[in-house]
Amino acid sequence: MEGWVHKTAIAALVLLASAGTATAADWKSTVTRLIAAQHSYPRSAQIRGDQGTAKVRISVDAGGKITGVELVEPTGSQILDREAVRIPQKIGAVPPPPGGPTKLVIPIAWKLT
């Protein structure tokens, strides 16, 4: 799976570069997709019936390195909240943001079906 994520990140970077000037919305959409590709539902949270949506603030430097992740809206589940912070940290880097260093808030949802 890790190789797939790196290929996705490279493809996203090529797409953004070939599009000329990427908009902030395009960039945020790309970052959201990269995070979604790493989304997992911890088995222990599933067993407990935990679900919810967390919001994390991600700090990104001019080169695309994720320099910080902060939980800004918890799910109410410690397991899911830890996972919400872990996902962007696992990615490590995204395509460089179009306007230089930035922060963005991304929702990460878990729902039992």
Side-chain angles (χ1 to χ4, degrees):
M1 182 71 117
E2 184 175 312
W4 183 84
V5 171
H6 292 296
K7 289 178 185 175
T8 303
I10 291 169
L13 182 58
V14 169
L15 177 65
L16 287 173
S18 66
T21 306
T23 66
D26 293 338
W27 180 78
K28 183 176 180 179
S29 177
T30 298
V31 172
T32 301
R33 283 194 307 274
L34 290 172
I35 289 172
Q38 287 298 306
H39 190 282
S40 62
Y41 208 136
R43 184 74 180 134
S44 57
Q46 290 178 7
I47 291 169
R48 292 169 44 127
D50 293 352
Q51 53 186 355
T53 300
K55 289 186 180 177
V56 292
R57 180 177 297 119
I58 302 168
S59 300
V60 181
D61 70 14
K65 181 180 178 187
I66 295 174
T67 58
V69 180
E70 174 188 4
L71 183 67
V72 294
E73 187 175 305
T75 62
S77 163
Q78 290 181 356
I79 297 166
L80 296 179
D81 292 346
R82 279 193 305 267
E83 184 68 8
V85 171
R86 189 186 71 77
I87 291 169
Q89 291 172 336
K90 188 165 101 172
I91 294 170
V94 296
T102 192
K103 295 181 181 187
L104 70 152
V105 176
I106 301 283
I108 303 174
W110 292 270
K111 184 173 182 178
L112 294 170
T113 55

